[in-house]
Amino acid sequence: QVQLVESGGGLVQAGGSLRLSCAASGRTFSSYNMGWFRQAPGKKREFVVAISWSGGITYYADSVKGRFTISRDNAKNTVYLQMNSLKPEDTAVYYCAADSSRRSNYDYWGQGTQVTVSS
């Protein structure tokens, strides 16, 4: 069982930056692929970025490529999302998720953190 807690959300002006963190409980974090997803008001949840268990492989949605960077520190059981050049359309609740099977089947989710980008 893994518990995920996101932090770092907030209000930022367009063009600004935020760094989200996702702290995981449990000893198996380092074996899980991890991902960030987001859900804007009135829209479906969408994939943002994923990182492999070792951190060696990352995959970004086209909408954030070149602006967002995912990383992880397995010693700290934490995954990060550095968000630069933020746009109003990045406004959403951001969720951290764990993929224990490493088959893009995310079975553990955090409670989410709000990111609001003002124009």
Side-chain angles (χ1 to χ4, degrees):
Q1 191 78 354
V2 174
Q3 290 186 327
L4 305 173
V5 179
E6 302 97 334
S7 61
L11 174 63
V12 63
Q13 289 188 334
S17 298
L18 282 174
R19 189 175 84 152
L20 305 183
S21 298
C22 173
S25 65
R27 295 175 292 177
T28 53
F29 171 80
S30 61
S31 68
Y32 294 171
N33 292 345
M34 298 294 295
W36 287 95
F37 294 75
R38 66 186 182 186
Q39 187 167 18
K43 295 187 177 181
K44 293 182 178 179
R45 185 171 61 196
E46 65 174 358
F47 169 80
V48 176
V49 60
I51 188 168
S52 63
W53 62 274
S54 66
I57 299 173
T58 58
Y59 183 74
Y60 293 87
D62 288 343
S63 59
V64 305
K65 203 172 293 183
R67 299 188 298 120
F68 290 10
T69 303
I70 190 171
S71 61
R72 66 189 296 164
D73 185 338
N74 285 342
K76 295 183 178 180
N77 277 16
T78 303
V79 63
Y80 304 97
L81 182 62
Q82 178 67 42
M83 305 185 295
N84 298 329
S85 302
L86 283 161
K87 305 175 181 180
E89 51 263 44
D90 293 319
T91 295
V93 177
Y94 283 71
Y95 297 91
C96 171
D99 170 16
S100 63
S101 66
R102 301 189 203 171
R103 296 179 180 180
S104 298
N105 179 26
Y106 292 88
D107 42 358
Y108 299 104
W109 293 83
Q111 83 289 349
T113 185
Q114 176 71 47
V115 171
T116 303
V117 184
S118 63
S119 57

